[in-house]
Amino acid sequence: MREQIERAAKTTAGIWKVSQPDLENIRIPLPSLDVQREVVCHIDALLKLADRIQMRYAALRIHAQRLAPQVLAKAFRGELVEQDPQDEPASVLLQRLTASQSTKTSASRGRPRAQAKPQPLAPDRPPTDWASLPDGAWVAPADPDGHATTVWITAVLRAWGAPMPERTARLATLLCQQPHLLTPALPAAQASLWSRLVGDAAAPLPTQVTRLQPASNHPWGRAFQGMRMRGDLVEAGTGDDVTWALGPGAAAIATAGWPDGRAGFVVAHLRAHGLASVLPALAPAEQAFVDARAA
């Protein structure tokens, strides 16, 4: 091709030019159709492999983020090593230390210093008494690439506890991801609790601001297809009767903390008040996302 262009090039005053007719006459070598088809198949296989690696990486990354707090919790509960039954119980040791500290405090002079209160360990599952949780307990880390979508879907299906209608699952997941959509539908007391636990993300958007949620997006499709391929999610039924349920593979997906907290709250509201309490107030793009098929 380079030789063809050089032969067709002409110069005037030292400026080389190639006319459009000369370019149209250049012959471009191409492989045979069989070779082209083989190249396309090979590229498709590599792209599918890359997608599987990316989904696996995202799942492992989320699991690693949850692993450190779980290990610390087990360490404080003494579950990492085998316990000696002859050791005195921790409750006896704490009582003895408390009594000793009280004696030292009463014998000291001047203003006694305030004792730091021990912080309770985070339970493996969220308590039903949401009002006792600290502010920001359900604040989720930033997820610009949508890698946490798998965690949200898993938490919603776990909170439901049975095969879940697809539309309900999609709406519940959307409300977990965008908690500001649920706030206007809640009674004042529940809206205040939801905002306190979720943080700034639960604040309704100003009237002049709109956040679009496309009916189909890459993170959602990637998460759903990955879960179905790995056996994390089981889809049953047809048409409007499609239901989702967690498969055996979903047991490895960690959802303790903010995913279970938000999902439990959202599922409780939808069970009590139904989709109609939220869906009509959503923007058309958000309603389309709930009504669309997953992939």
Side-chain angles (χ1 to χ4, degrees):
M1 290 180 60
R2 181 184 181 90
E3 292 176 354
Q4 296 178 65
I5 294 175
E6 290 178 346
R7 287 196 301 267
K10 300 177 178 60
T11 179
T12 56
I15 300 177
W16 290 89
K17 298 180 180 180
V18 180
S19 65
Q20 182 173 344
D22 289 334
L23 290 176
E24 293 175 349
N25 292 328
I26 292 177
R27 300 175 63 85
I28 302 175
L30 294 175
S32 65
L33 289 179
D34 291 338
V35 174
Q36 293 183 42
R37 293 190 185 99
E38 184 177 355
V39 170
V40 170
C41 291
H42 186 62
I43 292 176
D44 285 342
L46 291 177
L47 290 176
K48 291 178 181 178
L49 176 61
D51 287 340
R52 291 196 296 269
I53 293 175
Q54 185 178 12
M55 289 186 293
R56 185 61 178 167
Y57 162 76
L60 290 175
R61 180 172 176 268
I62 295 172
H63 181 66
Q65 291 175 346
R66 304 299 308 169
L67 189 59
Q70 292 174 359
V71 171
L72 288 175
K74 284 182 174 294
F76 279 105
R77 292 196 298 265
E79 298 176 359
L80 293 182
V81 296
E82 185 178 355
Q83 301 299 303
D84 187 350
Q86 296 183 355
D87 288 342
E88 67 176 355
S91 58
V92 176
L93 175 61
L94 289 176
Q95 291 177 359
R96 183 154 47 82
L97 291 176
T98 302
S100 175
Q101 187 65 35
S102 300
T103 303
K104 292 181 180 179
T105 303
S106 60
S108 62
R109 297 181 179 179
R111 179 182 300 176
R113 292 182 295 177
Q115 299 297 318
K117 296 181 179 180
Q119 296 296 321
L121 296 176
D124 293 335
R125 303 291 295 178
T128 55
D129 185 12
W130 293 319
S132 64
L133 294 177
D135 294 353
W138 297 344
V139 173
D143 182 39
D145 298 327
H147 288 158
T149 303
T150 299
V151 175
W152 289 124
I153 297 175
T154 304
V156 165
L157 295 180
R158 279 180 180 164
W160 192 265
M164 189 175 188
E166 180 190 358
R167 290 182 75 243
T168 306
R170 290 174 68 87
L171 176 59
T173 304
L174 176 62
L175 297 178
C176 289
Q177 291 176 310
Q178 300 188 24
H180 68 277
L181 298 175
L182 177 62
T183 306
L186 297 172
Q190 291 187 356
S192 177
L193 175 62
W194 176 248
S195 299
R196 183 178 68 81
L197 296 176
V198 174
D200 295 338
L205 296 179
T207 55
Q208 69 273 18
V209 176
T210 302
R211 182 180 299 173
L212 297 180
Q213 172 68 46
S216 298
N217 59 61
H218 181 64
W220 175 270
R222 179 181 60 197
F224 177 81
Q225 292 174 9
M227 294 183 68
R228 188 165 55 180
M229 179 180 62
R230 295 188 302 269
D232 299 344
L233 185 145
V234 178
E235 187 179 28
T238 58
D240 296 335
D241 297 326
V242 173
T243 61
W244 291 353
L246 291 178
I253 302 177
T255 58
W258 45 268
D260 280 340
R262 290 193 193 181
F265 191 98
V266 169
V267 164
H269 176 80
L270 294 180
R271 282 189 182 276
H273 305 284
L275 277 66
S277 64
V278 181
L279 197 56
L282 299 182
E286 293 155 351
Q287 294 183 11
F289 174 80
V290 174
D291 293 331
R293 289 308 306 262

